[in-house]
Structures are given as C-alpha cells and as structure tokens.
Amino acid sequence: MDQTYGNFRARREATVWQRLNRILRVLLVLAVWLVIVSLFVPPYKRLVQRRAEIENLQQQVNEQQTLLSRQTREVNMLKTDATYLETIARDRLDLMKEGETIFRLEAPRAAKAKTASSGRR
C-alpha cells in the first residue's frame, strides 16, 4: 500500500509541474507578443499621423492649384479681352455708361464670411 501512495504522489507532483510549465510557456508567449506589439504600435501611430498630414497637405495643394488656375485665367482675360477689362474697371471704379442701369446683388453675409476665410489661407 505504501508503494501505491508513492506512485500516486509522484504522478500528482508530475502533473502539477506539467501544469506550471504550461502556464509558464503561455505567459512567456504572451510576454513576447506584448513586446512585439509595443515595438510596432508607435511607428504605426506615426504612420497614420503622417498619412493624415499628407492628405491635408494634398488638399491644400489642390486648393492652391485651383486658385492659381482661376487667377491665371483672370489675368489672361484682362490681357486679351477688352470688354472684360472694361467691365472690371467700371465695376471697381463705380462708373457706368450713359443710359446704362446697374443692378448690384450682394452675397449673403454667411457666404461672404466663408469666402473671406478661405481666401486668407
């Protein structure tokens, strides 16, 4: 009877150590995984931030290109189209031809504020 108890105790101790070894392996795998994740998260965050910054800068470039094309078109019209030049000059100097009636349409205040803020960039 003494020997069966010894075998039982030996098997029980062996299974306890096996369980502890499994737990230790799992903890080691988790620790390695956490180290790997902690090494890759900050560069990934910087990557996402840089992509957002690039997108923002690309949007600004597109806006500036649109503004440039608009202003280039206006300069070309001022250089080549005499009627456009005359219209702009009379509008800015508040002059009119004889027999001409001028109607001024003012933009709503919200639209003025929006165009003024976008022009300041």
Side-chain angles (χ1 to χ4, degrees):
M1 178 157 171
D2 193 26
Q3 190 171 13
T4 26
Y5 177 72
N7 286 339
F8 175 74
R9 186 170 181 205
R11 279 185 285 156
R12 184 172 175 214
E13 286 180 6
T15 58
V16 169
W17 283 111
Q18 288 173 350
R19 287 182 185 168
L20 289 176
N21 281 336
R22 280 190 217 141
I23 292 171
L24 182 63
R25 286 182 196 138
V26 169
L27 290 176
L28 282 174
V29 168
L30 285 174
V32 169
W33 185 79
L34 286 174
V35 167
I36 290 172
V37 167
S38 68
L39 290 175
F40 285 104
V41 166
Y44 181 74
K45 284 183 179 180
R46 281 196 304 271
L47 175 69
V48 169
Q49 183 181 9
R50 297 292 191 251
R51 284 184 180 169
E53 187 177 334
I54 287 171
E55 185 177 316
N56 185 19
L57 290 173
Q58 187 64 42
Q59 182 181 5
Q60 288 179 3
V61 166
N62 291 339
E63 289 173 3
Q64 291 298 317
Q65 286 177 342
T66 303
L67 180 64
L68 176 66
S69 67
R70 200 176 300 145
Q71 290 177 345
T72 303
R73 187 175 61 239
E74 185 174 356
V75 166
N76 286 336
M77 288 189 64
L78 286 171
K79 286 181 180 178
T80 59
D81 192 2
T83 56
Y84 180 73
L85 179 63
E86 178 185 348
T87 304
I88 295 298
R90 287 191 295 126
D91 183 49
R92 291 192 182 159
L93 297 173
D94 288 331
L95 299 175
M96 64 180 174
K97 293 181 181 179
E98 271 188 46
E100 184 179 46
T101 305
I102 297 177
F103 295 98
R104 291 208 182 261
L105 302 176
E106 295 292 325
R109 290 184 184 261
K112 281 185 181 179
K114 186 177 180 182
T115 57
S117 67
S118 66
R120 291 182 186 173
R121 283 187 180 177

